[in-house]
Every structure is written in C-alpha cells, then in structure tokens.
Amino acid sequence: RFTTMAAAMRTHASCSTLGRTQPLRPKAFSHARLAIRTNVMTTSDAASTPPEVSCASKRSVLMGVAALATTFAIGQQAALADPAPEDLTKVTQRVFMDITVGDQPAGRIVFGLYGNAVPKTVENFVGLITKEKGFGYQGAIFHRIIKGFMLQGGDFERGNGTGGYSIFGRKFADENFSVLHEPGVLSMANAGRNTNGSQFFITTVDTPWLNGKHVVFGKVLEGMNLVTKLENVSVDRGSKPLEKGFISD
C-alpha cells in the first residue's frame, strides 16, 4: 500500500520506519581531483646528471604538465555537467490543479517543478496532469489527509492509495533524494524503494524523517491557503476525508 508515513498513518506520531530515519544531509557537490606527481629537477641536479637521465626527466615533466591540463579539462566538463546545489530547486516548469471540495470549486494550486534535480519525475507528473497518455489526475481525490503532516492524492486508478501508475509503466525508480523535505513541497508517495507511480503528497510542516525515502520534485507556488483548507477537512479514523476534495482539472 502506498504510504508517505507509517503503517496506519492515523496520527503524526505513528510514522513507519520512515519516521525513524535520520534527515538526509545535503549532498556535497565537488569535482573529482586527480593528484599529478612530477619530479622536477633543479639546475644543480641537471648539471650533475648524465644527459640521458636529464632528457628522461624533461619528458616526465612534459607528461605531467599534459596530464594536469587533461585533469583541468575534465574538471571543467564536470562543472558544466553537474548542476550546482542552488540549481536543484530552480523552478523549470509551472503546472496547476483546480480543486473541487464536495460539489463546489475550491480554487487552484500552482506548483513549481524541479526539472534540473529530477527530470524524469517531473516529466511523469506533467504527463499525468496533461493526460498526454490518455490517463491522469483529472477526477482523482486526495484520499488521505493528516493535519499537521500532509495531503496525499494521485491514485486515479482506485482512489484509496493502493493504485495508480506512471507514464513509464506501473513503477519507476527513485531518481535521487537531493532535495530535502520542508513545508509546502511536492513529493512522491511510494511503497518502498523504486516504487514511484502516480501518487504524490504535499507537506504542510517540516518532515525531515522523509528525507532519503521520498523524491521531492517541486513546491507549492500559489494556493497554500487552499492546501491549509484541505488539511483541515474532517476525516475518519483512517485519515480518509469525509468530504471529497478532488482534482477537477
């Protein structure tokens, strides 16, 4: 069963093993450095060294310089290839969901997505919003809401947290856990490692125990007041809302 916290998820305190994990430390971004060791001769050494040894040493120096230049080029390429930490949370795309509660339009939530950090996860979410594959979020409900924690939705298949699938197939792998959880982020719900489908959740508080367990791929840009409204709807003992809030568009 897909879940963003423990077993029954009845209360904030009743987290699963996710609740016992330590916060993921920010990923360190650094370029690999190769140590180049060269034997450089002094003038006095050269004067007392046979010509053949001196030539060999010169060749060694030239090879060392060439290796150093290669290393520098590799480092420059790595700098271009690896996004800087601040680029991971750069919003590369904006999407929205229109929400209906009961039979009344409730408003719109606008999300900013982190395409630099997790491009495949973002592609999946956008594909499900636009229904480019013929299936997606329209009509899906927020099937689990826990005040002081999160809203979970996206199970367009069964509507109870046991279904849903991605545009890539039933499941796809975790891209990375580089972006940490904080209030108002958009993250993938799962049933363990590498089981991402369509279900997602929106955090309403800081949730460090989810770091390293769920892939964060965006944040709420507009409509956090609507998230708060949904967070406060009445729910049953299983955290299922008594009044349905669903994605109308």
Side-chain angles (χ1 to χ4, degrees):
R1 187 181 182 86
F2 287 82
T3 178
T4 56
M5 64 182 301
M9 290 185 69
R10 294 192 178 94
T11 64
H12 186 173
S14 64
C15 297
S16 66
T17 54
L18 303 189
R20 295 194 292 272
T21 60
Q22 296 298 317
L24 181 68
R25 295 179 180 275
K27 202 170 187 178
F29 290 85
S30 61
H31 305 304
R33 291 177 292 181
L34 301 179
I36 304 299
R37 188 173 181 181
T38 59
N39 295 311
V40 182
M41 298 177 64
T42 65
T43 304
S44 59
D45 289 333
S48 60
T49 305
E52 64 272 18
V53 176
S54 181
C55 290
S57 296
K58 288 179 181 179
R59 284 195 296 272
S60 177
V61 172
L62 291 174
M63 291 175 64
V65 171
L68 185 60
T70 301
T71 302
F72 177 77
I74 291 172
Q76 289 296 94
Q77 291 175 356
L80 294 174
D82 296 336
E86 60 270 18
D87 289 340
L88 293 177
T89 54
K90 178 180 179 181
V91 172
T92 58
Q93 200 164 355
R94 291 165 62 104
V95 295
F96 68 89
M97 289 179 175
D98 287 333
I99 307 299
T100 296
V101 177
D103 58 357
Q104 297 297 317
R108 173 174 290 182
I109 303 174
V110 179
F111 300 104
L113 307 180
Y114 302 150
N116 287 342
V118 282
K120 187 171 184 176
T121 307
V122 166
E123 181 184 353
N124 179 63
F125 189 72
V126 172
L128 292 172
I129 281 186
T130 61
K131 297 185 69 174
E132 65 179 41
K133 302 291 187 181
F135 56 88
Y137 290 136
Q138 188 174 14
I141 66 170
F142 286 94
H143 63 271
R144 178 165 293 164
I145 295 176
I146 300 177
K147 186 175 181 179
F149 180 33
M150 61 91 219
L151 321 178
Q152 184 176 340
D155 180 0
F156 56 82
E157 182 181 20
R158 297 171 186 154
N160 60 8
T162 64
Y165 43 89
S166 79
I167 65 171
F168 308 113
R170 177 61 64 175
K171 301 173 184 177
F172 68 99
D174 302 318
E175 281 190 88
N176 62 66
F177 304 109
S178 299
V179 183
L180 305 183
H181 290 80
E182 59 184 28
V185 301
L186 187 59
S187 187
M188 291 299 293
N190 61 44
R193 291 275 181 173
N194 302 316
T195 58
N196 300 288
S198 62
Q199 291 188 48
F200 63 89
F201 61 95
I202 305 168
T203 59
T204 59
V205 296
D206 195 22
T207 54
W209 63 89
L210 300 182
N211 294 332
K213 296 291 184 179
H214 297 266
V215 177
V216 176
F217 63 97
K219 65 180 178 181
V220 175
L221 296 179
E222 300 172 24
M224 198 62 193
N225 58 329
L226 177 52
V227 172
T228 301
K229 179 180 178 180
L230 291 170
E231 181 189 20
N232 284 280
V233 301
S234 298
V235 298
D236 64 17
R237 293 184 62 186
S239 301
K240 181 179 180 179
L242 299 179
E243 188 174 29
K244 289 185 177 180
F246 63 92
I247 303 163
S248 54
D249 194 12

PDB file of all heavy atoms in Angstrom, residues 36-40 54-70:
ATOM      1  N   ILE A  36      48.527  14.871  -9.527  1.00  0.00           N
ATOM      2  CA  ILE A  36      49.591  14.643 -10.512  1.00  0.00           C
ATOM      3  C   ILE A  36      50.928  14.862  -9.825  1.00  0.00           C
ATOM      4  O   ILE A  36      51.188  15.927  -9.279  1.00  0.00           O
ATOM      5  CB  ILE A  36      49.465  15.609 -11.700  1.00  0.00           C
ATOM      6  CG1 ILE A  36      48.069  15.493 -12.336  1.00  0.00           C
ATOM      7  CG2 ILE A  36      50.559  15.345 -12.720  1.00  0.00           C
ATOM      8  CD1 ILE A  36      47.771  14.128 -12.872  1.00  0.00           C
ATOM      9  N   ARG A  37      51.736  13.852  -9.842  1.00  0.00           N
ATOM     10  CA  ARG A  37      53.028  13.944  -9.186  1.00  0.00           C
ATOM     11  C   ARG A  37      54.131  14.006 -10.231  1.00  0.00           C
ATOM     12  O   ARG A  37      54.209  13.152 -11.106  1.00  0.00           O
ATOM     13  CB  ARG A  37      53.245  12.735  -8.276  1.00  0.00           C
ATOM     14  CG  ARG A  37      54.473  12.860  -7.410  1.00  0.00           C
ATOM     15  CD  ARG A  37      54.530  11.718  -6.432  1.00  0.00           C
ATOM     16  NE  ARG A  37      55.675  11.826  -5.567  1.00  0.00           N
ATOM     17  CZ  ARG A  37      55.984  10.958  -4.627  1.00  0.00           C
ATOM     18  NH1 ARG A  37      55.210   9.917  -4.440  1.00  0.00           N
ATOM     19  NH2 ARG A  37      57.040  11.105  -3.872  1.00  0.00           N
ATOM     20  N   THR A  38      54.954  15.059 -10.207  1.00  0.00           N
ATOM     21  CA  THR A  38      56.043  15.189 -11.168  1.00  0.00           C
ATOM     22  C   THR A  38      57.364  15.357 -10.437  1.00  0.00           C
ATOM     23  O   THR A  38      57.401  15.900  -9.332  1.00  0.00           O
ATOM     24  CB  THR A  38      55.838  16.414 -12.077  1.00  0.00           C
ATOM     25  OG1 THR A  38      55.766  17.589 -11.263  1.00  0.00           O
ATOM     26  CG2 THR A  38      54.562  16.284 -12.894  1.00  0.00           C
ATOM     27  N   ASN A  39      58.409  14.895 -11.052  1.00  0.00           N
ATOM     28  CA  ASN A  39      59.745  15.046 -10.482  1.00  0.00           C
ATOM     29  C   ASN A  39      60.465  16.150 -11.253  1.00  0.00           C
ATOM     30  O   ASN A  39      60.935  15.938 -12.361  1.00  0.00           O
ATOM     31  CB  ASN A  39      60.533  13.736 -10.608  1.00  0.00           C
ATOM     32  CG  ASN A  39      59.889  12.640  -9.782  1.00  0.00           C
ATOM     33  OD1 ASN A  39      59.595  12.866  -8.627  1.00  0.00           O
ATOM     34  ND2 ASN A  39      59.682  11.482 -10.378  1.00  0.00           N
ATOM     35  N   VAL A  40      60.495  17.332 -10.690  1.00  0.00           N
ATOM     36  CA  VAL A  40      61.126  18.477 -11.350  1.00  0.00           C
ATOM     37  C   VAL A  40      62.545  18.612 -10.830  1.00  0.00           C
ATOM     38  O   VAL A  40      62.775  18.678  -9.631  1.00  0.00           O
ATOM     39  CB  VAL A  40      60.328  19.769 -11.066  1.00  0.00           C
ATOM     40  CG1 VAL A  40      60.967  20.947 -11.793  1.00  0.00           C
ATOM     41  CG2 VAL A  40      58.872  19.592 -11.509  1.00  0.00           C
ATOM     42  N   SER A  54      68.695  13.384 -17.784  1.00  0.00           N
ATOM     43  CA  SER A  54      68.109  14.712 -17.854  1.00  0.00           C
ATOM     44  C   SER A  54      66.980  14.747 -18.876  1.00  0.00           C
ATOM     45  O   SER A  54      65.931  15.321 -18.656  1.00  0.00           O
ATOM     46  CB  SER A  54      69.188  15.731 -18.224  1.00  0.00           C
ATOM     47  OG  SER A  54      68.649  17.028 -18.284  1.00  0.00           O
ATOM     48  N   CYS A  55      67.175  14.124 -20.022  1.00  0.00           N
ATOM     49  CA  CYS A  55      66.144  14.085 -21.058  1.00  0.00           C
ATOM     50  C   CYS A  55      64.908  13.329 -20.574  1.00  0.00           C
ATOM     51  O   CYS A  55      63.768  13.724 -20.817  1.00  0.00           O
ATOM     52  CB  CYS A  55      66.679  13.426 -22.323  1.00  0.00           C
ATOM     53  SG  CYS A  55      67.905  14.460 -23.173  1.00  0.00           S
ATOM     54  N   ALA A  56      65.161  12.235 -19.864  1.00  0.00           N
ATOM     55  CA  ALA A  56      64.040  11.446 -19.339  1.00  0.00           C
ATOM     56  C   ALA A  56      63.223  12.266 -18.359  1.00  0.00           C
ATOM     57  O   ALA A  56      61.997  12.205 -18.325  1.00  0.00           O
ATOM     58  CB  ALA A  56      64.568  10.173 -18.664  1.00  0.00           C
ATOM     59  N   SER A  57      63.933  13.037 -17.524  1.00  0.00           N
ATOM     60  CA  SER A  57      63.230  13.857 -16.553  1.00  0.00           C
ATOM     61  C   SER A  57      62.403  14.935 -17.237  1.00  0.00           C
ATOM     62  O   SER A  57      61.303  15.270 -16.826  1.00  0.00           O
ATOM     63  CB  SER A  57      64.227  14.506 -15.587  1.00  0.00           C
ATOM     64  OG  SER A  57      64.894  13.521 -14.844  1.00  0.00           O
ATOM     65  N   LYS A  58      62.978  15.505 -18.328  1.00  0.00           N
ATOM     66  CA  LYS A  58      62.223  16.517 -19.067  1.00  0.00           C
ATOM     67  C   LYS A  58      60.954  15.924 -19.650  1.00  0.00           C
ATOM     68  O   LYS A  58      59.883  16.525 -19.623  1.00  0.00           O
ATOM     69  CB  LYS A  58      63.090  17.095 -20.178  1.00  0.00           C
ATOM     70  CG  LYS A  58      64.210  18.005 -19.678  1.00  0.00           C
ATOM     71  CD  LYS A  58      65.049  18.516 -20.846  1.00  0.00           C
ATOM     72  CE  LYS A  58      66.182  19.408 -20.343  1.00  0.00           C
ATOM     73  NZ  LYS A  58      67.022  19.895 -21.454  1.00  0.00           N
ATOM     74  N   ARG A  59      61.088  14.715 -20.172  1.00  0.00           N
ATOM     75  CA  ARG A  59      59.903  14.061 -20.716  1.00  0.00           C
ATOM     76  C   ARG A  59      58.867  13.835 -19.619  1.00  0.00           C
ATOM     77  O   ARG A  59      57.669  13.976 -19.834  1.00  0.00           O
ATOM     78  CB  ARG A  59      60.299  12.722 -21.361  1.00  0.00           C
ATOM     79  CG  ARG A  59      60.974  12.870 -22.732  1.00  0.00           C
ATOM     80  CD  ARG A  59      60.998  11.553 -23.465  1.00  0.00           C
ATOM     81  NE  ARG A  59      61.813  10.552 -22.773  1.00  0.00           N
ATOM     82  CZ  ARG A  59      63.125  10.407 -22.972  1.00  0.00           C
ATOM     83  NH1 ARG A  59      63.752  11.185 -23.833  1.00  0.00           N
ATOM     84  NH2 ARG A  59      63.790   9.485 -22.317  1.00  0.00           N
ATOM     85  N   SER A  60      59.337  13.471 -18.396  1.00  0.00           N
ATOM     86  CA  SER A  60      58.444  13.254 -17.268  1.00  0.00           C
ATOM     87  C   SER A  60      57.688  14.523 -16.911  1.00  0.00           C
ATOM     88  O   SER A  60      56.495  14.510 -16.639  1.00  0.00           O
ATOM     89  CB  SER A  60      59.249  12.763 -16.055  1.00  0.00           C
ATOM     90  OG  SER A  60      58.417  12.604 -14.933  1.00  0.00           O
ATOM     91  N   VAL A  61      58.414  15.651 -16.939  1.00  0.00           N
ATOM     92  CA  VAL A  61      57.780  16.930 -16.629  1.00  0.00           C
ATOM     93  C   VAL A  61      56.716  17.262 -17.663  1.00  0.00           C
ATOM     94  O   VAL A  61      55.601  17.680 -17.344  1.00  0.00           O
ATOM     95  CB  VAL A  61      58.830  18.057 -16.555  1.00  0.00           C
ATOM     96  CG1 VAL A  61      58.139  19.418 -16.440  1.00  0.00           C
ATOM     97  CG2 VAL A  61      59.748  17.838 -15.362  1.00  0.00           C
ATOM     98  N   LEU A  62      57.069  17.083 -18.957  1.00  0.00           N
ATOM     99  CA  LEU A  62      56.121  17.385 -20.019  1.00  0.00           C
ATOM    100  C   LEU A  62      54.878  16.519 -19.919  1.00  0.00           C
ATOM    101  O   LEU A  62      53.748  16.972 -20.113  1.00  0.00           O
ATOM    102  CB  LEU A  62      56.790  17.182 -21.381  1.00  0.00           C
ATOM    103  CG  LEU A  62      57.878  18.208 -21.735  1.00  0.00           C
ATOM    104  CD1 LEU A  62      58.566  17.809 -23.036  1.00  0.00           C
ATOM    105  CD2 LEU A  62      57.267  19.605 -21.868  1.00  0.00           C
ATOM    106  N   MET A  63      55.064  15.247 -19.574  1.00  0.00           N
ATOM    107  CA  MET A  63      53.925  14.342 -19.419  1.00  0.00           C
ATOM    108  C   MET A  63      53.050  14.772 -18.242  1.00  0.00           C
ATOM    109  O   MET A  63      51.827  14.713 -18.290  1.00  0.00           O
ATOM    110  CB  MET A  63      54.412  12.908 -19.217  1.00  0.00           C
ATOM    111  CG  MET A  63      55.048  12.299 -20.471  1.00  0.00           C
ATOM    112  SD  MET A  63      55.746  10.660 -20.164  1.00  0.00           S
ATOM    113  CE  MET A  63      54.264   9.754 -19.756  1.00  0.00           C
ATOM    114  N   GLY A  64      53.727  15.236 -17.167  1.00  0.00           N
ATOM    115  CA  GLY A  64      52.979  15.695 -16.001  1.00  0.00           C
ATOM    116  C   GLY A  64      52.145  16.911 -16.330  1.00  0.00           C
ATOM    117  O   GLY A  64      50.989  17.031 -15.914  1.00  0.00           O
ATOM    118  N   VAL A  65      52.734  17.849 -17.094  1.00  0.00           N
ATOM    119  CA  VAL A  65      52.003  19.062 -17.491  1.00  0.00           C
ATOM    120  C   VAL A  65      50.803  18.687 -18.359  1.00  0.00           C
ATOM    121  O   VAL A  65      49.706  19.223 -18.202  1.00  0.00           O
ATOM    122  CB  VAL A  65      52.935  20.029 -18.241  1.00  0.00           C
ATOM    123  CG1 VAL A  65      52.117  21.182 -18.848  1.00  0.00           C
ATOM    124  CG2 VAL A  65      53.991  20.583 -17.314  1.00  0.00           C
ATOM    125  N   ALA A  66      51.009  17.751 -19.291  1.00  0.00           N
ATOM    126  CA  ALA A  66      49.918  17.323 -20.167  1.00  0.00           C
ATOM    127  C   ALA A  66      48.799  16.672 -19.361  1.00  0.00           C
ATOM    128  O   ALA A  66      47.614  16.916 -19.598  1.00  0.00           O
ATOM    129  CB  ALA A  66      50.452  16.346 -21.220  1.00  0.00           C
ATOM    130  N   ALA A  67      49.185  15.852 -18.382  1.00  0.00           N
ATOM    131  CA  ALA A  67      48.183  15.196 -17.538  1.00  0.00           C
ATOM    132  C   ALA A  67      47.407  16.213 -16.722  1.00  0.00           C
ATOM    133  O   ALA A  67      46.195  16.096 -16.519  1.00  0.00           O
ATOM    134  CB  ALA A  67      48.860  14.173 -16.620  1.00  0.00           C
ATOM    135  N   LEU A  68      48.127  17.238 -16.223  1.00  0.00           N
ATOM    136  CA  LEU A  68      47.475  18.280 -15.438  1.00  0.00           C
ATOM    137  C   LEU A  68      46.465  19.040 -16.280  1.00  0.00           C
ATOM    138  O   LEU A  68      45.363  19.354 -15.841  1.00  0.00           O
ATOM    139  CB  LEU A  68      48.538  19.240 -14.889  1.00  0.00           C
ATOM    140  CG  LEU A  68      48.038  20.334 -13.923  1.00  0.00           C
ATOM    141  CD1 LEU A  68      47.386  19.698 -12.699  1.00  0.00           C
ATOM    142  CD2 LEU A  68      49.185  21.235 -13.510  1.00  0.00           C
ATOM    143  N   ALA A  69      46.841  19.329 -17.545  1.00  0.00           N
ATOM    144  CA  ALA A  69      45.929  20.026 -18.446  1.00  0.00           C
ATOM    145  C   ALA A  69      44.689  19.179 -18.720  1.00  0.00           C
ATOM    146  O   ALA A  69      43.563  19.676 -18.759  1.00  0.00           O
ATOM    147  CB  ALA A  69      46.644  20.354 -19.763  1.00  0.00           C
ATOM    148  N   THR A  70      44.882  17.869 -18.883  1.00  0.00           N
ATOM    149  CA  THR A  70      43.752  16.963 -19.110  1.00  0.00           C
ATOM    150  C   THR A  70      42.824  16.949 -17.911  1.00  0.00           C
ATOM    151  O   THR A  70      41.603  16.971 -18.039  1.00  0.00           O
ATOM    152  CB  THR A  70      44.260  15.532 -19.389  1.00  0.00           C
ATOM    153  OG1 THR A  70      45.104  15.567 -20.540  1.00  0.00           O
ATOM    154  CG2 THR A  70      43.087  14.589 -19.627  1.00  0.00           C
TER     155      THR A  70
END
